[in-house]
C-alpha cells in the first residue's frame, strides 16, 4: 500500500529508500492479496473498497475510521491489534538520523551494549564497529580506571627497544661498527620492580593497523583473567644456592633477572626458564637490583653497587661510598638512589657524577623510590618510619609514622593513579557499607560482560555506591611492613588514609599499577588486592616459604621465596583463547 497523505514527504513506513534498509514488515501487499484471494468475489470487492476509502482519506478521517473500528472491535480483535502494532511502531533511528548523530548516540554506550548493537543488523554492525567509537572506548579504559564504570584494562603497549649486541672492527680504516637488534616492548615505568623493565605483546608488522575493537577485546580477555584468577603458573628450576632477595622481568626482551644471597645475579629466559648467563663479582649477598634496556645495577652487602651490561654479563662500573651493605636501589634516566644498612641514602647523579648523602633514618634503609614527576624521594626503614625527601633542598620534607614494625617497602603512586582510598570520616555511609559487603573473587565467579564481571566482586547485582563515588587522583604512598599490614598514605598531608589487613605474617614486598596491587608475605602467600575496596581479591598459592620478591606487569606476576624458588603466573591470552 502507498502512503497517500498530503504530507510533503513519505512517512517512515512508506519511504521507498527506508523500505530497502529496514527489516521487512509482517504485513506486506503480496501477503494480503494472497489471503484476499481465498475469499469470495463479493467479499474481495467489499474489503478492497474499504482499503481504498481508507487510503484516500485525510489524516483526520483516517483517525476517525480507526476509532470507529476500535470501538466496535471485540477483545480478540483488540488483542491482535495490540500485538501486531507494537513491532510496526519500532523505528530504526540509524536509518533516519544522519550518520554523525547516530555515532554520537552510540558513543554513549558501554562496550557490552555496543557489541549487542552490532548484532542487530548489518547496518548496525557497520556503525557499531566504527573505529572511532572503539578508539574512544580504549581511551576511557586502557591503563586507567574509567570514571563512569570503574572498569580498567591493562596497557600492553608496544614500543621499540634498541639493544646493542657487539662491536665489529674494520681493520682497513680502523672504524668500529655497531650492530643493533630491535625488539618490541612497552614503556619503562619506575613505579615498581617490574615496571622498571618493559612489558610487551607480540610484535606486529607496521603495515598492519589493528582495529581498535580488536585491541579492546584482547585487553578485555586479559583483564577478565585477572579478575577470575585464571592464570597458568610454572616454577623455574632451582639454580640459586641461597635466598632470592630481588627479581625483575621484561617480556619484551624475554628475560628475568634474579639476585640472591649466593652473591650472584642470574639472567633467565622468561619463556623457557633456561639460564642465559650468571653475573659474578660481588663479595657478599646481592640484596637489590634494577635493570633497563641496556644496563643492570645491583646492590650488595659488600657495600658496593655494580653496573652491568646484562646482555653480555660484563661489569661496567663499581660505585663505592656506603659504609655498610646496600639494601635497596632505584634509578631513572638522571639519578640513582641507594639505601643502606648504614641508615643513609646516597644520590648518584649520572650526568654530573656528583654524589650526596641524605641522613635521618636511625636504622637500616630498606627501600628507596624516586618520584615520577616531582623532585622527591620516598624511603622506608627498620626504624618503622617512612620519609619523604626533597631532592632539590636535600632535606627531609615529611616523616610518616604509623607502622608498628620495620617498613620493608614504600612506593609513591604513578601519574594517573585513581583510587578510593580516603579517611573514614570522608566516606559516605553508603560507600562504607558497600566496602563491607565486598567478598573475595573466586574462579567460579564468572560473567559474560565487562560490566557484569565488575559486579562479581559484590554480593549485589550492582555497585552504585562505588561506581558513582568520585575517585581521587590524590597522590599516595603505599607501604608494606612486618606488622602484617599495608598502609596507604597521602603524599601531600602525610596522613594515613587506610590500612589493609589480610596477611597473617609480615609483608616483605609489594608492587602495584593503576589497576591492581599484589603483596608477598612471610606467610608464603601472594595476595591480589582490589584498589577500590581495599580488600584482598584472592591468593596465589605455590610458595612453601616466605615470599621475598615480587614483580608485576600487565599480564604476569613473578615472585621468589627464601628457598630459591621462582614462580611465574601468566594471566595473558593463551593460544586457544578467542574473542
Amino acid at each position: 500500500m502507498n502512503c497517500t497523505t498530503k504530507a510533503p514527504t513519505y512517512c517512515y513506513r512508506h519511504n521507498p529508500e527506508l523500505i530497502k534498509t529496514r527489516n521487512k514488515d509482517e504485513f506486506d501487499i503480496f501477503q494480503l492479496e494472497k489471503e484476499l484471494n481465498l475469499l469470495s468475489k463479493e467479499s474481495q470487492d467489499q474489503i478492497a473498497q474499504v482499503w481504498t476509502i481508507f487510503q484516500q482519506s485525510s489524516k483526520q478521517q483516517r483517525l476517525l475510521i480507526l476509532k470507529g473500528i476500535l470501538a466496535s472491535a471485540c477483545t480478540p480483535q483488540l488483542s491482535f491489534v495490540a500485538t501486531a502494532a507494537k513491532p510496526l511502531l519500532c523505528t530504526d533511528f540509524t536509518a533516519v538520523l544522519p550518520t554523525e548523530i547516530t555515532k554520537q548516540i552510540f558513543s554513549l554506550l558501554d562496550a557490552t551494549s555496543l557489541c549487542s548493537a552490532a548484532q542487530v543488523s548489518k547496518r548496525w554492525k557497520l556503525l557499531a564497529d566504527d573505529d572511532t567509537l572503539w578508539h574512544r572506548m580504549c581511551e576511557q579504559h586502557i591503563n586507567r580506571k574509567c570514571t563512569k564504570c570503574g572498569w580498567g584494562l591493562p596497557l600492553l603497549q608496544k614500543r621499540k627497544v634498541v639493544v646493542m649486541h657487539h662491536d665489529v672492527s674494520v681493520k682497513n680504516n680502523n672504524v668500529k661498527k655497531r650492530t643493533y637488534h630491535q625488539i618490541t616492548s612497552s614503556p619503562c615505568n619506575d613505579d615498581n620492580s617490574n615496571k622498571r623493565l618493559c612489558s610487551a605483546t607480540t610484535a606486529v608488522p607496521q603495515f598492519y593497523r589493528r582495529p581498535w575493537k580488536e585491541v579492546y577485546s584482547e585487553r578485555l580477555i586479559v583483564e577478565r583473567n585477572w579478575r577470575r584468577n585464571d592464570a597458568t603458573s610454572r616454577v623455574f628450576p632451582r639454580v640459586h644456592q641461597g635466598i632470592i632477595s630481588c627479581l625483575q622481568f621484561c617480556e619484551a626482551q624475554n628475560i628475568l633477572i634474579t639476585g640472591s644471597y649466593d652473591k650472584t645475579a642470574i639472567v633467565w629466559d622468561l619463556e623457557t626458564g633456561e639460564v642465559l648467563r650468571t653475573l659474578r663479582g660481588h663479595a657478599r649477598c646481592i640484596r637489590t637490583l634494577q635493570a633497563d634496556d641496556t644496563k643492570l645495577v645491583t646492590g650488595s652487602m659488600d657495600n658496593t653497587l655494580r653496573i652491568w651490561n646484562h646482555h653480555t654479563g660484563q661489569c661496567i662500573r663499581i660505585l663505592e661510598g656506603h659504609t655498610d651493605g646496600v639494601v635497596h636501589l632505584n634509578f631513572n634516566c638522571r639519578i640513582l638512589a641507594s639505601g643502606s644498612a648504614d641508615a643513609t641514602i646516597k644520590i648518584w647523579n649520572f650526568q654530573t657524577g656528583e654524589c650526596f648523602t641524605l641522613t635521618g633514618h636511625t636504622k637500616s634503609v630498606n627501600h628507596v623510590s624516586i618520584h615520577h614527576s616531582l623532585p622527591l624521594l620516598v624511603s622506608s626503614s627498620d626504624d618503622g618510619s617512612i620519609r619523604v625527601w626533597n631532592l632539590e633542598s636535600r632535606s627531609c620534607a615529611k616523616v610518616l609514622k604509623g607502622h608498628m614494625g620495620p617498613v620493608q617497602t614504600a612506593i609513591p603512586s604513578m601519574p594517573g593513579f585513581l583510587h578510593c582510598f580516603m579517611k573514614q570520616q570522608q566516606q559516605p555511609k553508603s560507600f562504607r557499607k558497600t566496602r563491607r559487603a565486598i567478598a573475595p573473587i573466586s574462579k567460579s565467579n564468572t560473567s559474560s560482560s565487562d560490566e557484569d564481571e565488575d559486579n562479581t566482586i559484590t554480593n549485589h547485582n550492582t555497585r552504585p555506591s562505588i561506581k558513582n563515588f568520585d575517585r581521587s587522583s590524590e597522590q599516595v604512598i603505599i607501604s608494606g611492613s612486618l606488622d602484617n599490614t599495608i598502609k596507604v598514605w597521602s603524599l601531600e598531608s602525610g596522613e594515613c588514609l587506610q590500612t589493609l589487613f589480610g596477611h597473617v605474617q609480615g609483608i616483605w614486598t609489594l608492587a602495584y599499577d593503576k589497576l591492581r596491587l599484589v603483596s608477598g608475605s612471610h606467610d608464603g602467600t601472594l595476595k591480589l588486592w582490589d584498589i577500590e575496596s581495599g580488600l584482598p581479591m584472592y591468593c596465589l598459592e605455590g610458595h612453601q616459604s616466605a615470599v621475598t620478591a615480587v614483580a608485576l606487569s600487565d599480564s604476569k606476576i613473578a615472585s621468589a621465596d627464601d628457598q630459591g624458588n621462582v614462580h611465574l603466573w601468566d594471566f595473558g591470552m593463551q593460544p586457544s583463547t578467542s574473542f
Side-chain angles (χ1 to χ4, degrees), residues 404-436:
M404 305 305 294
V407 184
Q408 295 300 311
T409 179
I411 306 173
S413 59
M414 65 290 299
F417 179 74
L418 299 179
H419 59 89
C420 292
F421 298 123
M422 59 193 62
K423 293 190 73 64
Q424 191 76 4
Q425 60 267 26
Q426 296 175 346
Q427 299 173 2
K429 291 183 178 179
S430 59
F431 182 70
R432 295 200 293 268
K433 290 179 181 179
T434 303
R435 295 171 82 99
R436 289 193 293 268

Side-chain angles (χ1 to χ4, degrees), residues 380-395:
S380 61
S381 169
D382 274 350
D383 61 17
S385 70
I386 300 169
R387 288 178 179 260
V388 180
W389 306 84
N390 187 318
L391 296 180
E392 292 181 342
S393 63
R394 302 182 181 182
S395 61

